[in-house]
Amino acid sequence: MTILLSEIDLEVKEILQEEIERQQNTLTLIPSENYPSRAILEAQSSVLNNKYAEGYPGKRYYQGCKTADKIEKLAIERAKQLFKGEHINVQVHSGTGANMAVYQALLKPGDKILSLNLFHGGHLSHGGKGTFTYNHYQIINYGLDRDSETFNYEEIERIAKLTHPQLIIVGASAYPRAIDFRPWRKIADEVGAYLLADMAHIIGLIAAGVHPDPVPYADVITATTQKTLRGPRGGLIICKKKYASSIDKAIFPGTQGGPFMHVIAAKALCFKEACQPEFKDYQKQIISNAKTLAETLKNEEFRLVSGGTDNHLMLVDLSDKDITGDKAATILEEAGIIVNKNSIPFDKKPPSITSGIRPGTPALTTRGMGNSEMRLIGEWISKILYNPHDRNIRRKIKKEVEEICKEFPIYEGLK
Ligand code: DSN
């Protein structure tokens, strides 16, 4: 039982080693990615992986759940301390799973969901074509205001009053501005809808108190733990007490089987880390870094959707440049700068091509990079995108990227 991966499967071992090197030697600007602590990775690969614990603490369908109960209770207790939510479910495997469980708990098939258009920054699980949500509910979309490229509350209210959705979703995967939850609550109350805040991207900022808190306003909040919260890959649901039983039942047995107890152990640790004062500093620096990167790109004559950022990401509009989002992401990768292509509001190009990229700063901030590194990276991005046909520029920058990566190791000594 003590056989190590390197002793039995060199093929897998080598691929994992290659990924360690890729992460170490490139600059991750994908805003949904991050580097959790080694301790979180350790908890996530612990023997709790081996335990089935269907049910909830004290009410399991399997024997041998004493430590499973302990760890799940601890995770819930810590999450409650962090978010001040009335009820928390830590079993949910992912953000999409969390949203599906909310629909199952609060809606009937065919009910109406009002959510942000996917191509204006919404998320697939809010009702994108081809999804379970799209097939089982009536999806109505609001978009962003054409001029400000932010939420237009009068328009959202008008659509809500016209269509009477049972559920309104506030939340996005590509929205660079801070969200005020009060108008959302008001609109939901006016039409008698539930309000779901999908905070997957900004939950770390919320935990640290550097972004407005949805907890007093939303009926349910869904999130992921691996993004700005810098935990294991997983989900999280916070809700009012009156929905506790429906939400828990919608997770198990509704949409999931056995909880991933090893991931719950890692979530417990993630919530502890997020309660530390350093975590608040980290979140503040994420925003500060994003603002610096945004300013640098603006100085280089790139247009940013909505004019800038209040959070961890920005959307760069490339439609006035000689390059698509797809091509931009590809050539940036050649220089070791990892971003994702992204549709911008009112994009004329399809989602496989796009006119934008969506850089974000959580991962680089975890590495310890600060404002001066952001300026440098912004200038590299600019140089590469203004010279898409010049391979030499990319080769030269790749070397500089590798140098800076050495200065900011992701995991000291990880093999
Ligand atoms: N795919 C994630 C993102 O990158 O935003 C959201 O689920």
Side-chain angles (χ1 to χ4, degrees), residues 209-279:
V210 299
H211 183 283
D213 185 3
V215 172
Y217 301 101
D219 296 297
V220 188
I221 293 144
T222 52
T224 46
T225 46
Q226 74 272 14
K227 297 188 178 93
T228 46
L229 202 53
R230 205 168 55 180
R233 205 161 191 108
L236 178 71
I237 304 179
I238 305 167
C239 68
K240 305 258 181 247
K241 211 172 184 161
K242 58 183 165 182
Y243 307 119
S245 161
S246 324
I247 289 287
D248 282 353
K249 282 185 193 146
I251 292 295
F252 176 79
T255 53
Q256 288 188 185
F260 297 167
M261 298 315 303
H262 54 309
V263 178
I264 291 175
K267 285 178 186 173
L269 174 53
C270 154
F271 301 141
K272 182 176 176 163
E273 288 181 1
C275 283
Q276 310 308 311
E278 306 85 84
F279 189 76

Side-chain angles (χ1 to χ4, degrees), residues 20-28 35 285 289 362-377 380 400-413:
I20 292 174
E21 282 160 25
R22 187 197 69 79
Q23 292 189 15
Q24 169 57 41
N25 297 327
T26 57
L27 296 170
T28 290
Y35 307 107
Q285 190 61 46
N289 279 350
L364 295 187
T365 310
T366 294
R367 289 182 88 147
M369 294 188 190
N371 304 76
S372 54
E373 285 77 27
M374 295 307 121
R375 274 187 282 275
L376 193 59
I377 293 166
W380 286 337
E400 295 180 88
V401 164
E402 281 166 6
E403 282 310 307
I404 203 175
C405 285
K406 271 190 212 133
E407 277 178 56
F408 297 92
I410 53 168
Y411 297 111
E412 217 75 73

Side-chain angles (χ1 to χ4, degrees), residues 30 32 96 123 173 201 227 340 358:
I30 292 175
S32 45
T96 291
H123 190 257
S173 64
H201 264 264
K227 297 188 178 93
N340 68 280
R358 181 189 65 154

